[in-house]
Amino acid sequence: MSRGPTAPRGTRDVLPEEALARLHVIDVARGTFAAYGYGQIVTPTFEDTEVFVRGVGTSTDIVRKEMYTFDDAGGRSLTLRPEGTAPVARAFVEHGMHKRQLPVKLWYLAPMFRYEAPQAGRYREHHQLGAEALGSDDPLLDVEAIALLAEVYRRLDVPGVRLSVGDMGDAASRDPYRAELFAYLRAHEGDLPPEARERMRDNPLRLFDAADEATRAVMHEAPRLLDRLSDAAAEHRREVLAGLDALDIAYEEDGALVRGLDYYTNTVFEFTCDRLGAQSGIGGGGRYDGLVEELGGPPTPGVGFGTGIERITLALGDIGDGASLDCYVAIPDPALRDRLLPVLGRLRSAGLSCDAGWGARSLKSMMRQAAARGARHTVIIGPREAADGVATVRDMRSGDQAQVPIEDLGRELA
Ligand code: HAM
């Protein structure tokens, strides 16, 4: 046998056991989003590249080096969605959603594509659950977004979750601060590697995200935007932190938290999980009051978050054995083959999950399969049962057996 193709580097297949754990995560998140008044939005898997260049920003790693961008046969530049907020803002503008009752609250579940160095918890395709509330600058909405994500983790029982809250200020805080930070960096330019020197000209705040030691050391001493907030931005932050306190949501203030996207204003936040190792970020988000306008809409504030499903299932650990069956149907006699699908159909119509011994030859091997599949009951039909119009039903836990008329199977076992 020659070696066949494998999944592309940094992508992964989800097999049924893990898929079941994912479905649980999705179900819990969906229920929580509904409880907070969010409706689902589905946007395309690819967008015009411009959506991300304008939305996410040219100084970010995402736009500079991580996007899967290609020209289609019509010569149009398209990009596989690396994140969910810019597409939602694009859809908000395209559908004139500013005319709806504000804020418009939207959640999504979607694959995201980023050309990152793969490692545990970091993939080139990952799946995010996200929520965006567009059309209100109320700081309590920031609090509600954080509380919603905290509630998703609480309902899922994700262990070891911590919250950091930073602030990107408003334009009145950020513009003078950028100038001050740039001047500080110019004074320390000699200590910075070439990439950081190039980047500081584009957006000096991005250097807070740098991974290399030299830049980190310089940034450690850098002035912090948190200490330079305008009165309005400081008041916004005060209300957000007071709102978190009122809900008893624990947080740390983090003046170096800038997050990897350029659209943020005011509140930014990140949840980390101590079970995740190096890629400890389990979810994050913030306010983005300029994004909708950047994408051609009317000035519209917004706040939201995204959380990676793979990181949640990793944090939850044990993914279990997968789904077990209500019944396993064993009809070993080839002469009775025609009974199999009608019996399965009858059980399934009664709402039972069931499967059969496809390809197994003997009752013994079928019973082994039934046990391996975790079936609650095995339904056995041999020549004698068939002649009497009954099945032998075996309770797989107790080992008890009983004869049940075939037409009563659904009712008996449901
Ligand atoms: P982000 O922090 O880039 O934010 O991603 C959100 C979450 O997606 C992360 O916390 C992590 O759980 C997961 N994630 C990101 N990259 C990967 C990866 N390569 N492999 C596995 N999981 C990953 C955003 O994308 C923003 N759109 C969030 C947001 C929504 N901000 C406001 N609204």
Side-chain angles (χ1 to χ4, degrees):
M1 230 171 16
S2 70
R3 237 184 56 199
T6 54
R9 190 166 139 70
T11 68
R12 52 196 298 281
D13 300 309
V14 177
L15 304 186
E17 299 75 25
E18 185 185 343
L20 199 67
R22 289 167 76 94
L23 275 181
H24 174 63
V25 170
I26 293 163
D27 279 350
V28 167
R30 211 169 52 174
T32 318
F33 291 150
Y36 282 66
Y38 283 75
Q40 191 183 8
I41 183 165
V42 180
T43 64
T45 301
F46 51 83
E47 295 275 350
D48 285 342
T49 300
E50 187 196 355
V51 170
F52 302 112
V53 171
R54 280 168 65 175
V56 175
T58 49
S59 82
T60 61
D61 275 348
I62 292 181
V63 170
R64 282 157 54 103
K65 46 192 182 193
E66 294 175 359
M67 294 203 302
Y68 284 88
T69 297
F70 58 97
D71 285 347
D72 71 4
R76 176 170 257 236
S77 178
L78 300 172
T79 294
L80 297 184
R81 168 182 44 217
E83 68 94 44
T85 312
V88 168
R90 191 268 309 140
F92 180 89
V93 175
E94 187 167 337
H95 300 284
M97 286 196 245
H98 63 280
K99 294 191 206 105
R100 297 187 176 202
Q101 195 191 316
L102 300 177
V104 173
K105 290 171 130 186
L106 302 164
W107 73 268
Y108 49 88
L109 158 63
M112 308 287 166
F113 305 86
R114 298 181 188 178
Y115 188 79
E116 292 191 86
Q119 65 177 83
R122 189 165 68 198
Y123 311 107
R124 290 183 174 166
E125 178 184 20
H126 72 277
H127 296 78
Q128 261 184 49
L129 285 155
E132 315 288 354
L134 296 121
S136 166
D137 60 6
D138 188 338
L140 286 185
L141 205 55
D142 308 24
V143 178
E144 196 196 42
I146 295 172
L148 164 53
L149 187 50
E151 178 64 8
V152 170
Y153 297 143
R154 191 194 66 77
R155 290 188 186 187
L156 286 167
D157 224 354
V158 181
V161 172
R162 297 161 80 99
L163 168 66
S164 302
V165 185
D167 210 296
M168 302 300 291
D170 50 7
S173 336
R174 210 167 36 247
D175 296 347
Y177 169 74
R178 272 169 85 121
E180 183 187 353
L181 180 62
F182 186 73
Y184 167 84
L185 292 171
R186 279 291 292 271
H188 294 81
E189 209 166 338
D191 300 329
L192 292 171
E195 194 192 327
R197 287 209 293 268
E198 187 194 317
R199 248 176 148 184
M200 70 187 235
R201 297 196 154 68
D202 216 356
N203 180 359
L205 274 87
R206 280 269 80 83
L207 268 58
F208 280 110
D209 258 353
D212 66 281
E213 274 312 313
T215 309
R216 290 174 75 93
V218 171
M219 296 318 285
H220 192 68
E221 304 300 323
R224 296 289 160 92
L225 181 48
L226 260 192
D227 306 320
R228 307 284 191 281
L229 294 180
S230 69
D231 290 347
E235 176 56 19
H236 187 97
R237 181 166 184 81
R238 198 194 57 70
E239 285 193 48
V240 170
L241 299 185
L244 292 173
D245 290 337
L247 291 178
D248 269 334
I249 296 177
Y251 58 84
E252 264 170 48
E253 294 199 54
D254 184 350
L257 180 65
V258 290
R259 305 215 0 96
L261 306 114
D262 277 353
Y263 48 61
Y264 290 118
T265 55
N266 299 99
T267 313
V268 283
F269 60 93
E270 205 149 83
F271 284 89
T272 54
C273 171
D274 61 16
R275 311 294 153 102
L276 285 178
Q279 297 306 310
S280 64
I282 189 164
R287 183 162 272 292
Y288 44 87
D289 288 353
L291 177 61
V292 170
E293 206 175 351
E294 181 62 44
L295 293 174
T300 307
V303 61
F305 62 78
T307 181
I309 297 184
E310 290 80 2
R311 293 206 185 156
I312 295 177
T313 47
L314 265 178
L316 288 174
D318 193 15
I319 54 172
D321 300 333
S324 57
L325 288 174
D326 292 322
C327 356
Y328 181 97
V329 178
I331 304 183
D333 186 345
L336 297 174
R337 267 178 65 79
D338 58 345
R339 303 293 177 99
L340 181 59
L341 291 176
V343 170
L344 285 170
R346 193 183 287 271
L347 292 166
R348 287 170 180 155
S349 322
L352 296 161
S353 62
C354 47
D355 208 346
W358 308 103
R361 301 250 178 269
S362 67
L363 182 60
K364 203 164 146 203
S365 70
M366 288 184 180
M367 294 310 286
R368 255 201 314 267
Q369 281 191 1
R373 295 285 298 274
R376 214 155 37 87
H377 290 102
T378 303
V379 171
I380 305 157
I381 302 177
R384 236 174 327 134
E385 283 98 347
D388 297 344
V390 298
T392 298
V393 174
R394 182 181 173 88
D395 182 316
M396 297 297 282
R397 247 164 270 156
S398 65
D400 294 347
Q401 295 200 163
Q403 307 253 296
V404 176
I406 288 176
E407 62 258 36
D408 293 345
L409 277 174
R411 202 168 344 114
E412 275 299 312
L413 297 179

